[in-house]
Amino acid sequence: MLDFAIFAVTFVIVLVGAVLYLYPSSRRASGIPGLNPTDEKDGNLQDIVGRGSLHEFLVSLHQEFGPVASFWFGSRPVVSLGSLQQLRQHINPNHSTDSFETMLKSLLGYHSGGGGASTDSIIRKKVYQGAIDTTLKNNFPLVLKLVDELVGKWKSFPEDQHTPLCAHQLVLAMKTITQLALGESFSEDARVIAFRKNHDVIWSEIGKGYMDGSLEKSTSRKGHYEKALSEMESTLLSVVKERKSQRNKSVFVDSLIQSTLTERQVNHLVLIRLCVLIVCIWALHFLSTSEEVQDRLYKEFEEVLGSSPVSLEKIPQLRYCQQVLNETLRTAKLTPIAARLQEVEGKVDQHLIPKESLVIYALGVILQDSDTWNAPYRFDPDRFEEESVKKSFHLLGFSGSQTCPELRFAYTVATVLLSVLVRQLKLHRLKDTLMEVRSELVSTPRDETWITFSLRN
């Protein structure tokens, strides 16, 4: 009897040990190295929350498991690619689908009409791209005017006055975006302030509440979020009605209205595509740390523009300015994550990626990979003189035909800002002040950064 009891206990221990040993490996995404789910319902959600952001989680994931790694979103396996070499191998037949947009649609409660990926592709390439091109062409003088107003304000400051860069740039961003996207009625400060307030609430919850599930657990926060979303939707619907009766059809929403989109689809496109021009903030931050880069920009503006203001036709000739903005985007990791749905079985290295897997491109990891970029943490616009660097940037979707329309819009406004500012002022970062580079679903500086200006001789 004692022998049987010993055997039974031993058997149970061995069985439990076998289950504990075999269970984790069975939960990995088709054998791809990575994390086991820490929670049956949430997967590795708490691991992501513990790291502070999805980007920081992916950095640690790839440090531990290499360039191809897996983890779990709830009960769904996810494959993450963290190097340029592995990214090149990933063949995705659904390349035109914007998975970040798809996630936002689900979160915000919007749904496209039928047609799936092909419909999204048509909207992006024809309607959206055309709307942005038309808006910039028709409203370029307005962009110049808004930038001139801001730089004129900075010129009036005493040279030793400390200026909060983020606060000033976000005001410019909101004024530019709302007036170009929604019309002249947003020249009223009160309307812009109300719009920004709701916009900030919505995007804050998208960046945080989506990742840690905390929104659903807080009745007050959820109520605040839903109120902001309802007010934003109401504002956009009223703008659509206002613009339909306008004779002057020159802003972004006008082009969407004149297309075959429904009011609901117009609402959705305007809401999720309001790309706050964070690139301007980071560009000025990096410029404030390098007088040499400022002087080279000044020289280029003088050679290409002379005493004339910048124009849409002249922007492609400003090559060094383009390099500065590219390096800003790379160094600050302003787009740290992209995602694709694996519609057919794929393969990267020796790893099979099952059909319908979510594949994350860990762009924030790749953008600071020492195997791809020399001195990856250094702000160095000169690196973009090399053809190999240009090709790498193109492959990541930040240049060429795959560049998103919002990035082109942001680059245009940033170029106008730099062309006006650098020809009149020099930027200086205050000593012992640093801006922390942080990347999330929505990239924003964590802390304010302070700068001073001096007149350029």
Side-chain angles (χ1 to χ4, degrees):
M1 187 69 178
L2 180 61
D3 290 339
F4 175 79
I6 294 173
F7 169 78
V9 171
T10 303
F11 177 78
V12 169
I13 292 173
V14 171
L15 180 61
V16 170
V19 169
L20 292 175
Y21 178 78
L22 295 174
Y23 175 73
S25 63
S26 69
R27 296 302 307 272
R28 293 195 179 111
S30 295
I32 295 175
L35 293 175
N36 305 311
T38 54
D39 183 270
E40 193 66 25
K41 179 182 178 181
D42 294 335
N44 296 114
L45 190 58
Q46 288 305 313
D47 297 312
I48 297 171
V49 174
R51 286 291 177 178
S53 72
L54 181 55
H55 165 69
E56 295 298 336
F57 168 78
L58 293 175
V59 169
S60 64
L61 182 76
H62 287 290
Q63 285 176 344
E64 183 175 356
F65 296 104
V68 184
S70 65
F71 64 100
W72 293 79
F73 263 146
S75 60
R76 184 175 189 176
V78 181
V79 177
S80 180
L81 305 180
S83 82
L84 200 64
Q85 180 180 349
Q86 276 65 38
L87 201 63
R88 284 193 180 99
Q89 299 176 40
H90 186 244
I91 299 173
N92 176 36
N94 196 26
H95 186 71
S96 60
T97 295
D98 185 337
S99 295
F100 182 63
E101 175 182 340
T102 302
M103 179 272 289
L104 291 179
K105 286 179 184 177
S106 174
L107 183 66
L108 298 171
Y110 288 97
H111 302 281
S112 299
S118 62
T119 300
D120 284 342
S121 178
I122 292 171
I123 290 174
R124 170 180 285 277
K125 292 181 179 179
K126 293 185 177 180
V127 178
Y128 195 70
Q129 181 66 69
I132 282 186
D133 290 343
T134 301
T135 300
L136 285 173
K137 182 178 180 180
N138 291 338
N139 295 278
F140 197 76
L142 175 59
V143 178
L144 279 169
K145 174 178 175 290
L146 293 172
V147 169
D148 279 333
E149 289 176 354
L150 177 63
V151 175
K153 183 177 181 179
W154 285 343
K155 284 178 66 177
S156 70
F157 293 166
E159 287 196 359
D160 59 350
Q161 178 165 321
H162 298 177
T163 303
L165 177 60
C166 299
H168 282 240
Q169 285 299 292
L170 287 175
V171 169
L172 174 66
M174 272 298 162
K175 284 186 174 181
T176 305
I177 292 170
T178 52
Q179 291 185 47
L180 265 65
L182 305 174
E184 58 275 7
S185 65
F186 280 84
S187 59
E188 301 173 8
D189 287 348
R191 200 168 190 188
V192 176
I193 291 170
F195 187 93
R196 178 185 170 183
K197 179 181 177 182
N198 288 327
H199 180 271
D200 290 350
V201 169
I202 293 168
W203 282 95
S204 174
E205 291 299 354
I206 288 173
K208 178 176 173 57
Y210 168 75
M211 288 306 306
D212 62 15
S214 61
L215 182 62
E216 292 296 324
K217 300 174 183 177
S218 173
T219 304
S220 60
R221 273 179 57 192
K222 187 173 182 180
H224 191 41
Y225 165 77
E226 290 178 346
K227 182 175 181 290
L229 188 60
S230 176
E231 289 180 359
M232 176 72 82
E233 185 176 63
S234 177
T235 297
L236 295 177
L237 287 173
S238 69
V239 167
V240 170
K241 292 178 181 177
E242 289 174 11
R243 298 302 302 182
K244 280 184 177 179
S245 62
Q246 290 279 341
R247 291 184 178 181
N248 178 23
K249 305 292 185 183
S250 62
V251 299
F252 178 71
V253 72
D254 293 330
S255 297
L256 300 185
I257 292 171
Q258 293 170 29
S259 69
T260 58
L261 299 176
T262 65
E263 285 190 357
R264 189 76 168 174
Q265 288 172 321
V266 169
N267 213 8
H268 153 251
L269 273 179
V270 174
L271 179 58
I272 73 169
R273 293 303 184 183
L274 284 174
C275 178
V276 178
L277 302 178
I278 302 299
V279 66
C280 291
I281 296 176
W282 288 106
L284 296 191
H285 164 70
F286 288 126
L287 285 182
S288 72
T289 66
S290 176
E291 187 173 343
E292 179 186 353
V293 174
Q294 291 185 59
D295 289 342
R296 286 190 61 182
L297 270 177
Y298 175 81
K299 183 179 179 181
E300 180 176 75
F301 290 142
E302 289 294 295
E303 291 176 351
V304 175
L305 304 177
S307 59
S308 302
V310 69
S311 64
L312 279 174
E313 294 72 27
K314 289 286 187 178
I315 285 178
Q317 300 177 36
L318 299 170
R319 295 181 180 177
Y320 186 68
C321 184
Q322 176 77 30
Q323 290 176 210
V324 169
L325 295 177
N326 284 347
E327 181 66 347
T328 296
L329 188 68
R330 188 201 68 80
T331 309
K333 310 182 298 296
L334 297 185
T335 305
I337 298 158
R340 296 287 178 260
L341 184 65
Q342 188 73 35
E343 291 202 334
V344 297
E345 185 178 79
K347 187 176 182 180
V348 173
D349 290 343
Q350 74 275 22
H351 306 295
L352 290 177
I353 301 179
K355 178 181 178 181
E356 298 184 355
S357 296
L358 181 63
V359 180
I360 283 184
Y361 295 168
L363 301 180
V365 176
I366 299 171
L367 287 170
Q368 296 191 336
D369 178 16
S370 59
D371 291 335
T372 304
W373 318 93
N374 182 39
Y377 295 99
R378 186 178 69 204
F379 180 75
D380 179 17
D382 287 344
R383 73 173 77 244
F384 280 92
E385 293 176 353
E386 299 178 18
E387 199 60 36
S388 61
V389 171
K390 293 178 184 177
K391 288 181 179 178
S392 296
F393 211 59
H394 177 83
L395 182 63
L396 295 174
F398 297 128
S399 64
S401 59
Q402 295 298 327
T403 306
C404 67
E406 305 95 307
L407 188 57
R408 282 189 58 248
F409 179 81
Y411 268 36
T412 298
V413 177
T415 301
V416 174
L417 175 62
L418 295 183
S419 72
V420 176
L421 175 64
V422 170
R423 287 193 287 173
Q424 300 184 48
L425 296 170
K426 286 188 176 182
L427 295 85
H428 311 281
R429 182 175 62 84
L430 297 184
K431 293 181 180 180
D432 301 323
T433 63
L434 295 173
M435 177 186 282
E436 182 175 354
V437 178
R438 180 183 62 160
S439 297
E440 296 178 341
L441 287 174
V442 182
S443 297
T444 56
R446 175 173 295 177
D447 299 311
E448 182 60 87
T449 186
W450 297 82
I451 58 176
T452 61
F453 300 99
S454 61
L455 291 175
R456 184 174 285 277
N457 297 324

